[in-house]
mmCIF file of all heavy atoms in Angstrom:
data_model
loop_
_atom_site.group_PDB
_atom_site.id
_atom_site.type_symbol
_atom_site.label_atom_id
_atom_site.label_comp_id
_atom_site.label_asym_id
_atom_site.label_seq_id
_atom_site.Cartn_x
_atom_site.Cartn_y
_atom_site.Cartn_z
ATOM 1 N N ALA A 1 0.772 -1.174 -0.009
ATOM 2 C CA ALA A 1 0.036 0.049 -0.076
ATOM 3 C C ALA A 1 0.859 1.210 -0.007
ATOM 4 O O ALA A 1 2.024 1.323 0.667
ATOM 5 C CB ALA A 1 -0.877 -0.012 1.157
ATOM 6 N N ILE A 2 0.434 2.232 -0.714
ATOM 7 C CA ILE A 2 1.079 3.576 -0.773
ATOM 8 C C ILE A 2 0.132 4.487 -0.040
ATOM 9 O O ILE A 2 -0.987 4.786 -0.530
ATOM 10 C CB ILE A 2 1.360 3.978 -2.254
ATOM 11 C CG1 ILE A 2 2.225 2.961 -2.910
ATOM 12 C CG2 ILE A 2 2.112 5.417 -2.223
ATOM 13 C CD1 ILE A 2 2.479 3.376 -4.347
ATOM 14 N N HIS A 3 0.583 5.203 1.065
ATOM 15 C CA HIS A 3 -0.177 6.098 1.794
ATOM 16 C C HIS A 3 0.272 7.529 1.626
ATOM 17 O O HIS A 3 1.527 7.748 1.675
ATOM 18 C CB HIS A 3 -0.122 5.752 3.303
ATOM 19 C CG HIS A 3 -0.583 4.500 3.673
ATOM 20 N ND1 HIS A 3 -1.940 4.214 4.231
ATOM 21 C CD2 HIS A 3 -0.082 3.310 3.706
ATOM 22 C CE1 HIS A 3 -2.137 3.052 4.556
ATOM 23 N NE2 HIS A 3 -0.982 2.321 4.227
ATOM 24 N N TRP A 4 -0.635 8.510 1.456
ATOM 25 C CA TRP A 4 -0.315 9.871 1.406
ATOM 26 C C TRP A 4 -0.988 10.851 2.351
ATOM 27 O O TRP A 4 -1.204 11.911 2.180
ATOM 28 C CB TRP A 4 -0.363 10.390 -0.015
ATOM 29 C CG TRP A 4 -1.781 10.324 -0.504
ATOM 30 C CD1 TRP A 4 -2.808 11.344 -0.426
ATOM 31 C CD2 TRP A 4 -2.271 9.237 -1.362
ATOM 32 N NE1 TRP A 4 -3.892 10.861 -1.154
ATOM 33 C CE2 TRP A 4 -3.623 9.654 -1.633
ATOM 34 C CE3 TRP A 4 -1.884 7.963 -1.740
ATOM 35 C CZ2 TRP A 4 -4.567 8.769 -2.344
ATOM 36 C CZ3 TRP A 4 -2.673 7.121 -2.502
ATOM 37 C CH2 TRP A 4 -4.050 7.512 -2.754
ATOM 38 N N ARG A 5 -1.574 10.150 3.460
ATOM 39 C CA ARG A 5 -2.318 10.995 4.411
ATOM 40 C C ARG A 5 -1.547 12.144 5.034
ATOM 41 O O ARG A 5 -2.055 13.242 5.371
ATOM 42 C CB ARG A 5 -2.948 10.166 5.509
ATOM 43 C CG ARG A 5 -3.864 10.741 6.461
ATOM 44 C CD ARG A 5 -4.459 9.714 7.477
ATOM 45 N NE ARG A 5 -5.379 8.910 6.728
ATOM 46 C CZ ARG A 5 -6.615 9.087 6.330
ATOM 47 N NH1 ARG A 5 -7.268 10.271 6.542
ATOM 48 N NH2 ARG A 5 -7.272 8.267 5.609
ATOM 49 N N LEU A 6 -0.395 11.799 5.253
ATOM 50 C CA LEU A 6 0.631 12.785 5.822
ATOM 51 C C LEU A 6 1.150 13.864 4.842
ATOM 52 O O LEU A 6 1.787 14.792 5.192
ATOM 53 C CB LEU A 6 1.841 12.045 6.472
ATOM 54 C CG LEU A 6 1.588 11.341 7.822
ATOM 55 C CD1 LEU A 6 2.772 10.458 8.137
ATOM 56 C CD2 LEU A 6 1.211 12.106 8.931
ATOM 57 N N ALA A 7 0.821 13.519 3.570
ATOM 58 C CA ALA A 7 1.382 14.408 2.467
ATOM 59 C C ALA A 7 0.372 14.645 1.412
ATOM 60 O O ALA A 7 0.489 14.021 0.350
ATOM 61 C CB ALA A 7 2.637 13.919 1.872
ATOM 62 N N PRO A 8 -0.834 15.177 1.700
ATOM 63 C CA PRO A 8 -1.926 15.192 0.790
ATOM 64 C C PRO A 8 -1.561 15.921 -0.619
ATOM 65 O O PRO A 8 -2.063 15.562 -1.546
ATOM 66 C CB PRO A 8 -3.017 16.055 1.448
ATOM 67 C CG PRO A 8 -2.448 16.651 2.523
ATOM 68 C CD PRO A 8 -1.152 15.855 2.979
ATOM 69 N N HIS A 9 -0.547 16.809 -0.536
ATOM 70 C CA HIS A 9 -0.072 17.493 -1.746
ATOM 71 C C HIS A 9 0.647 16.428 -2.714
ATOM 72 O O HIS A 9 0.874 16.728 -3.917
ATOM 73 C CB HIS A 9 0.890 18.565 -1.428
ATOM 74 C CG HIS A 9 2.057 18.212 -0.668
ATOM 75 N ND1 HIS A 9 1.968 17.890 0.744
ATOM 76 C CD2 HIS A 9 3.446 18.006 -1.044
ATOM 77 C CE1 HIS A 9 3.140 17.532 1.130
ATOM 78 N NE2 HIS A 9 4.078 17.629 0.155
ATOM 79 N N GLU A 10 0.990 15.220 -2.256
ATOM 80 C CA GLU A 10 1.702 14.316 -3.079
ATOM 81 C C GLU A 10 0.674 13.233 -3.498
ATOM 82 O O GLU A 10 1.093 12.158 -4.017
ATOM 83 C CB GLU A 10 2.691 13.499 -2.161
ATOM 84 C CG GLU A 10 3.807 14.533 -1.758
ATOM 85 C CD GLU A 10 4.819 14.908 -2.800
ATOM 86 O OE1 GLU A 10 4.493 14.570 -4.054
ATOM 87 O OE2 GLU A 10 5.825 15.421 -2.528
ATOM 88 N N LYS A 11 -0.584 13.502 -3.504
ATOM 89 C CA LYS A 11 -1.585 12.550 -4.000
ATOM 90 C C LYS A 11 -1.406 12.145 -5.423
ATOM 91 O O LYS A 11 -1.409 10.884 -5.769
ATOM 92 C CB LYS A 11 -3.196 13.111 -3.853
ATOM 93 C CG LYS A 11 -4.116 12.200 -4.432
ATOM 94 C CD LYS A 11 -5.451 12.813 -4.192
ATOM 95 C CE LYS A 11 -6.610 11.983 -4.705
ATOM 96 N NZ LYS A 11 -7.911 12.577 -4.733
ATOM 97 N N GLU A 12 -1.212 13.079 -6.412
ATOM 98 C CA GLU A 12 -1.023 12.769 -7.724
ATOM 99 C C GLU A 12 0.150 11.908 -7.968
ATOM 100 O O GLU A 12 0.099 10.931 -8.774
ATOM 101 C CB GLU A 12 -1.123 13.946 -8.615
ATOM 102 C CG GLU A 12 -2.451 14.692 -8.456
ATOM 103 C CD GLU A 12 -3.563 13.885 -8.992
ATOM 104 O OE1 GLU A 12 -3.456 13.108 -9.856
ATOM 105 O OE2 GLU A 12 -4.646 14.009 -8.311
ATOM 106 N N PHE A 13 1.295 12.304 -7.329
ATOM 107 C CA PHE A 13 2.484 11.504 -7.359
ATOM 108 C C PHE A 13 2.214 10.043 -6.961
ATOM 109 O O PHE A 13 2.649 9.056 -7.589
ATOM 110 C CB PHE A 13 3.626 12.181 -6.622
ATOM 111 C CG PHE A 13 4.739 11.235 -6.270
ATOM 112 C CD1 PHE A 13 5.665 11.060 -7.309
ATOM 113 C CD2 PHE A 13 4.840 10.596 -5.075
ATOM 114 C CE1 PHE A 13 6.781 10.111 -7.079
ATOM 115 C CE2 PHE A 13 5.944 9.664 -4.873
ATOM 116 C CZ PHE A 13 6.891 9.486 -5.750
ATOM 117 N N ALA A 14 1.646 9.900 -5.805
ATOM 118 C CA ALA A 14 1.391 8.474 -5.166
ATOM 119 C C ALA A 14 0.491 7.681 -6.070
ATOM 120 O O ALA A 14 0.715 6.543 -6.334
ATOM 121 C CB ALA A 14 0.818 8.651 -3.765
ATOM 122 N N LEU A 15 -0.557 8.352 -6.626
ATOM 123 C CA LEU A 15 -1.452 7.659 -7.534
ATOM 124 C C LEU A 15 -0.732 7.167 -8.853
ATOM 125 O O LEU A 15 -0.927 6.080 -9.274
ATOM 126 C CB LEU A 15 -2.675 8.440 -7.803
ATOM 127 C CG LEU A 15 -3.804 8.376 -6.766
ATOM 128 C CD1 LEU A 15 -4.854 9.499 -7.036
ATOM 129 C CD2 LEU A 15 -4.335 7.122 -6.420
ATOM 130 N N ALA A 16 -0.020 8.058 -9.438
ATOM 131 C CA ALA A 16 0.638 7.824 -10.706
ATOM 132 C C ALA A 16 1.741 6.704 -10.408
ATOM 133 O O ALA A 16 1.882 5.801 -11.194
ATOM 134 C CB ALA A 16 1.434 9.056 -11.166
ATOM 135 N N THR A 17 2.383 6.676 -9.283
ATOM 136 C CA THR A 17 3.415 5.702 -9.001
ATOM 137 C C THR A 17 2.707 4.381 -8.745
ATOM 138 O O THR A 17 3.266 3.232 -9.286
ATOM 139 C CB THR A 17 4.189 6.137 -7.645
ATOM 140 O OG1 THR A 17 4.857 7.305 -7.912
ATOM 141 C CG2 THR A 17 5.123 4.958 -7.184
ATOM 142 N N ALA A 18 1.651 4.345 -8.129
ATOM 143 C CA ALA A 18 0.912 3.068 -7.869
ATOM 144 C C ALA A 18 0.350 2.560 -9.187
ATOM 145 O O ALA A 18 0.464 1.312 -9.421
ATOM 146 C CB ALA A 18 -0.353 3.320 -6.900
ATOM 147 N N HIS A 19 -0.218 3.355 -10.040
ATOM 148 C CA HIS A 19 -0.700 2.917 -11.375
ATOM 149 C C HIS A 19 0.375 2.381 -12.266
ATOM 150 O O HIS A 19 0.256 1.309 -12.882
ATOM 151 C CB HIS A 19 -1.537 4.074 -12.041
ATOM 152 C CG HIS A 19 -2.878 4.245 -11.585
ATOM 153 N ND1 HIS A 19 -3.876 3.453 -11.952
ATOM 154 C CD2 HIS A 19 -3.455 5.317 -10.748
ATOM 155 C CE1 HIS A 19 -4.895 3.922 -11.414
ATOM 156 N NE2 HIS A 19 -4.708 4.950 -10.582
ATOM 157 N N ALA A 20 1.469 3.047 -12.206
ATOM 158 C CA ALA A 20 2.598 2.540 -13.036
ATOM 159 C C ALA A 20 3.129 1.134 -12.456
ATOM 160 O O ALA A 20 3.450 0.317 -13.329
ATOM 161 C CB ALA A 20 3.810 3.542 -12.909
ATOM 162 N N ALA A 21 3.165 0.989 -11.175
ATOM 163 C CA ALA A 21 3.646 -0.292 -10.597
ATOM 164 C C ALA A 21 2.677 -1.374 -11.034
ATOM 165 O O ALA A 21 3.040 -2.520 -11.386
ATOM 166 C CB ALA A 21 3.727 -0.160 -9.071
ATOM 167 N N VAL A 22 1.366 -1.184 -10.887
ATOM 168 C CA VAL A 22 0.311 -2.222 -11.179
ATOM 169 C C VAL A 22 0.275 -2.556 -12.585
ATOM 170 O O VAL A 22 0.193 -3.762 -13.062
ATOM 171 C CB VAL A 22 -1.043 -1.963 -10.514
ATOM 172 C CG1 VAL A 22 -1.713 -1.033 -11.399
ATOM 173 C CG2 VAL A 22 -1.756 -3.233 -10.273
ATOM 174 N N GLU A 23 0.475 -1.630 -13.436
ATOM 175 C CA GLU A 23 0.502 -1.726 -14.903
ATOM 176 C C GLU A 23 1.747 -2.627 -15.298
ATOM 177 O O GLU A 23 1.643 -3.562 -16.103
ATOM 178 C CB GLU A 23 0.551 -0.373 -15.655
ATOM 179 C CG GLU A 23 0.568 -0.681 -17.143
ATOM 180 C CD GLU A 23 0.463 0.681 -17.887
ATOM 181 O OE1 GLU A 23 0.250 1.777 -17.250
ATOM 182 O OE2 GLU A 23 0.695 0.764 -19.119
ATOM 183 N N ALA A 24 2.907 -2.423 -14.649
ATOM 184 C CA ALA A 24 4.118 -3.286 -14.848
ATOM 185 C C ALA A 24 3.969 -4.679 -14.375
ATOM 186 O O ALA A 24 4.460 -5.574 -15.060
ATOM 187 C CB ALA A 24 5.308 -2.630 -14.212
ATOM 188 N N LEU A 25 3.104 -4.890 -13.446
ATOM 189 C CA LEU A 25 2.888 -6.182 -12.850
ATOM 190 C C LEU A 25 2.088 -7.089 -13.769
ATOM 191 O O LEU A 25 2.028 -8.242 -13.750
ATOM 192 C CB LEU A 25 2.283 -6.140 -11.372
ATOM 193 C CG LEU A 25 3.282 -5.726 -10.264
ATOM 194 C CD1 LEU A 25 2.506 -5.293 -9.063
ATOM 195 C CD2 LEU A 25 4.309 -6.847 -10.045
ATOM 196 N N GLY A 26 1.112 -6.383 -14.420
ATOM 197 C CA GLY A 26 0.157 -7.103 -15.286
ATOM 198 C C GLY A 26 -1.180 -7.549 -14.755
ATOM 199 O O GLY A 26 -1.476 -7.116 -13.520
ATOM 200 N N SER A 27 -1.897 -8.363 -15.471
ATOM 201 C CA SER A 27 -3.324 -8.713 -14.953
ATOM 202 C C SER A 27 -3.476 -9.566 -13.817
ATOM 203 O O SER A 27 -4.492 -9.598 -13.356
ATOM 204 C CB SER A 27 -3.928 -9.301 -16.277
ATOM 205 O OG SER A 27 -3.384 -10.612 -16.508
ATOM 206 N N ASP A 28 -2.374 -10.078 -13.271
ATOM 207 C CA ASP A 28 -2.432 -10.892 -12.031
ATOM 208 C C ASP A 28 -2.646 -10.009 -10.854
ATOM 209 O O ASP A 28 -2.963 -10.531 -9.711
ATOM 210 C CB ASP A 28 -1.242 -11.729 -11.835
ATOM 211 C CG ASP A 28 -1.150 -12.941 -12.901
ATOM 212 O OD1 ASP A 28 -2.275 -13.183 -13.439
ATOM 213 O OD2 ASP A 28 -0.151 -13.505 -13.020
ATOM 214 N N TYR A 29 -2.406 -8.736 -10.967
ATOM 215 C CA TYR A 29 -2.527 -7.786 -9.822
ATOM 216 C C TYR A 29 -3.537 -6.597 -10.227
ATOM 217 O O TYR A 29 -3.767 -6.324 -11.365
ATOM 218 C CB TYR A 29 -1.135 -7.195 -9.501
ATOM 219 C CG TYR A 29 -0.281 -8.279 -8.899
ATOM 220 C CD1 TYR A 29 0.513 -9.060 -9.874
ATOM 221 C CD2 TYR A 29 -0.291 -8.646 -7.620
ATOM 222 C CE1 TYR A 29 1.281 -10.115 -9.456
ATOM 223 C CE2 TYR A 29 0.585 -9.625 -7.103
ATOM 224 C CZ TYR A 29 1.199 -10.472 -7.966
ATOM 225 O OH TYR A 29 1.949 -11.422 -7.478
ATOM 226 N N ARG A 30 -4.018 -6.046 -9.179
ATOM 227 C CA ARG A 30 -4.953 -4.860 -9.361
ATOM 228 C C ARG A 30 -4.695 -3.812 -8.333
ATOM 229 O O ARG A 30 -3.991 -4.042 -7.328
ATOM 230 C CB ARG A 30 -6.477 -5.364 -9.432
ATOM 231 C CG ARG A 30 -6.878 -5.828 -8.054
ATOM 232 C CD ARG A 30 -8.378 -6.177 -8.016
ATOM 233 N NE ARG A 30 -8.827 -6.621 -6.781
ATOM 234 C CZ ARG A 30 -9.456 -5.929 -5.900
ATOM 235 N NH1 ARG A 30 -9.384 -4.524 -6.022
ATOM 236 N NH2 ARG A 30 -9.878 -6.395 -4.733
ATOM 237 N N LEU A 31 -5.322 -2.555 -8.547
ATOM 238 C CA LEU A 31 -5.184 -1.481 -7.654
ATOM 239 C C LEU A 31 -6.473 -1.369 -6.849
ATOM 240 O O LEU A 31 -7.509 -1.328 -7.454
ATOM 241 C CB LEU A 31 -4.827 -0.270 -8.390
ATOM 242 C CG LEU A 31 -4.074 0.804 -7.612
ATOM 243 C CD1 LEU A 31 -2.775 0.425 -7.001
ATOM 244 C CD2 LEU A 31 -3.910 2.167 -8.520
ATOM 245 N N GLN A 32 -6.349 -1.248 -5.501
ATOM 246 C CA GLN A 32 -7.488 -1.029 -4.655
ATOM 247 C C GLN A 32 -7.342 0.397 -4.079
ATOM 248 O O GLN A 32 -6.425 0.620 -3.344
ATOM 249 C CB GLN A 32 -7.537 -1.993 -3.560
ATOM 250 C CG GLN A 32 -8.602 -1.812 -2.534
ATOM 251 C CD GLN A 32 -10.013 -2.073 -3.120
ATOM 252 O OE1 GLN A 32 -10.362 -3.348 -3.446
ATOM 253 N NE2 GLN A 32 -10.858 -1.123 -3.277
ATOM 254 N N HIS A 33 -8.323 1.291 -4.370
ATOM 255 C CA HIS A 33 -8.336 2.674 -3.780
ATOM 256 C C HIS A 33 -8.930 2.694 -2.454
ATOM 257 O O HIS A 33 -9.989 1.993 -2.157
ATOM 258 C CB HIS A 33 -8.905 3.578 -4.686
ATOM 259 C CG HIS A 33 -8.219 3.754 -6.144
ATOM 260 N ND1 HIS A 33 -7.052 4.640 -6.218
ATOM 261 C CD2 HIS A 33 -8.397 3.090 -7.334
ATOM 262 C CE1 HIS A 33 -6.625 4.378 -7.378
ATOM 263 N NE2 HIS A 33 -7.527 3.544 -8.146
ATOM 264 N N GLY A 34 -8.494 3.518 -1.493
ATOM 265 C CA GLY A 34 -9.039 3.767 -0.280
ATOM 266 C C GLY A 34 -8.877 5.139 0.154
ATOM 267 O O GLY A 34 -8.540 6.075 -0.651
#
């Protein structure tokens, strides 16, 4: 999990990083938002 509660201004960075990671992993993995 990637958390940005302590750095709300980094939301877009954190989401982009998470999306890039799951895309590289392929269809066996998915992203769960909270």
Side-chain angles (χ1 to χ4, degrees):
I2 304 176
H3 297 263
W4 61 88
R5 184 173 299 278
L6 291 170
H9 58 285
E10 298 287 8
K11 176 181 178 180
E12 296 305 320
F13 163 80
L15 284 172
T17 300
H19 279 283
V22 80
E23 184 175 345
L25 284 166
S27 60
D28 288 341
Y29 295 87
R30 66 179 180 87
L31 201 60
Q32 176 72 67
H33 296 279

